[in-house]
Amino acid sequence: MEYVLVLAVIVIAVLVFKDRPIMTMTFDDGKLTSQKGRIPVGFLSDCKEIAHKQPFSGKIKVYKNRFTTKLVFSKSVPSKIKQRIHNVYPYSGGSKKHGRRA
């Protein structure tokens, strides 16, 4: 019985702390080497164009929770490139409370 409880705790911990982005892109010297997930066509082409103009190496992950989406970059991606990719990301708009006033 104790083994089942310990096993259940381990399984729950793995599910909670597992890295589960909805999409990932890996760039190597300005070229897209791998991609996973459903990446919007416009966002993908914009990222390829940014990487072509200013080559960089690194990984971009996109996480989504109930309220927001979050872009996470590897440390090797320069800050100017991060900002340009944030600017072309299509789902970073404001809140969903359109039409409400204080």
Side-chain angles (χ1 to χ4, degrees):
M1 186 67 174
E2 293 175 12
Y3 299 114
V4 174
L5 183 62
V6 171
L7 183 62
V9 168
I10 291 172
V11 169
I12 290 172
V14 167
L15 290 175
V16 168
F17 295 113
K18 184 179 175 188
D19 188 28
R20 294 178 287 177
I22 58 170
M23 59 179 113
T24 61
M25 294 185 291
T26 306
F27 289 90
D28 188 25
D29 292 325
K31 295 184 180 179
L32 183 67
T33 56
S34 70
Q35 63 184 23
K36 291 182 182 177
R38 300 180 83 194
I39 303 172
V41 177
F43 178 61
L44 182 62
S45 64
D46 288 341
C47 287
K48 285 181 181 179
E49 183 180 337
I50 291 168
H52 178 71
K53 288 182 179 178
Q54 294 178 338
F56 68 94
S57 297
K59 196 171 209 176
I60 302 168
K61 295 180 182 179
V62 179
Y63 294 92
K64 183 174 183 176
N65 66 11
R66 220 171 122 190
F67 303 108
T68 62
T69 56
K70 179 179 169 185
L71 276 82
V72 176
F73 300 91
S74 63
K75 291 183 179 183
S76 61
V77 179
S79 62
K80 288 186 178 185
I81 302 293
K82 289 179 188 178
Q83 184 60 50
R84 290 189 66 195
I85 292 173
H86 270 291
N87 291 345
V88 297
Y89 186 65
Y91 302 116
S92 61
S95 67
K96 294 182 180 179
K97 296 181 180 179
H98 298 291
R100 290 191 175 187
R101 293 188 176 176

